[in-house]
Amino acid sequence: MRVGFGYDVHRLVEDRKLMLGGVEIPFEKGLLGHSDADVLLHAISDAVLGAIAEGDIGKHFPDTDSRWKGANSLVLLKYVIDLAKQKGFEVNNIDSTIVCQRPKLAGFIPQMVENIANAVHIPKVRVNVKATTTEGLGFTGTGEGISAYAVVTVREW
Ligand code: MG
């Protein structure tokens, strides 16, 4: 068994869709980035790469590569899962936290869990997504951005 950790931040700006866990969330702003900037899926992807000692998503999906411009981050996550499989690992479970002041995310979490479980090819009971505010403190509290943390365990098969 191995453990991986992931963390990511994206800035909230106007005229962008807000994508979290592969779900488009209705909101007046969205996350800025080269891909769809899905901060939760990036943290999870980084955690998988961490567990299998394959660097980070910046190494695998550089900003300079036009293939990933506007990319659906579920595609990035699937790529990382395929890489893990090639190296002889499968994901055991995923836990994650989105740090977001607004909008409220609770109603969207079941769909995020479903999207992640499908991309990773594991049952939904092995995927957890939490959301928290920072009580108005810091860059997430002021709504400048959204961050996400993820921990993943993988096992050799
Ligand atoms: Mg990112």
Side-chain angles (χ1 to χ4, degrees):
M1 187 78 91
R2 293 192 187 197
V3 178
F5 171 72
Y7 173 65
D8 195 27
V9 177
H10 282 269
R11 185 182 291 272
L12 270 173
V13 297
E14 282 170 14
D15 301 318
R16 287 275 298 184
K17 284 192 217 170
L18 177 57
M19 297 297 297
L20 290 171
V23 180
E24 186 178 341
I25 315 271
F27 192 52
E28 70 257 24
K29 290 182 175 180
L31 294 172
L32 182 64
H34 184 67
S35 67
D36 66 4
D38 191 319
V39 69
L40 174 62
L41 297 183
H42 292 184
I44 291 171
S45 299
D46 256 349
V48 174
L49 289 171
I52 64 171
E54 274 290 342
D56 59 33
I57 57 174
K59 171 183 155 187
H60 292 272
F61 313 106
D63 283 3
T64 48
D65 189 335
S66 60
R67 272 185 304 168
W68 310 115
K69 186 165 166 50
N72 179 337
S73 294
L74 284 168
V75 174
L76 276 57
L77 178 58
K78 286 178 189 166
Y79 176 100
V80 165
I81 294 300
D82 282 346
L83 180 64
K85 199 170 182 182
Q86 283 165 32
K87 292 195 74 177
F89 293 100
E90 62 186 8
V91 171
N92 179 62
N93 80 301
I94 297 170
D95 187 22
S96 60
T97 300
I98 307 167
V99 185
C100 175
Q101 194 69 34
R102 284 179 60 236
K104 285 281 169 242
L105 298 175
F108 301 101
I109 286 178
Q111 186 62 53
M112 294 182 200
V113 167
E114 185 154 352
N115 291 345
I116 294 161
N118 286 341
V120 179
H121 309 298
I122 56 175
K124 285 189 281 184
V125 291
R126 290 174 179 266
V127 178
N128 196 60
V129 176
K130 308 181 292 297
T132 186
T133 72
T134 52
E135 303 282 343
L137 297 169
F139 70 85
T140 47
T142 56
E144 289 171 83
I146 296 176
S147 62
Y149 300 86
V151 175
V152 169
T153 60
V154 302
R155 51 177 182 245
E156 287 183 71
W157 59 282

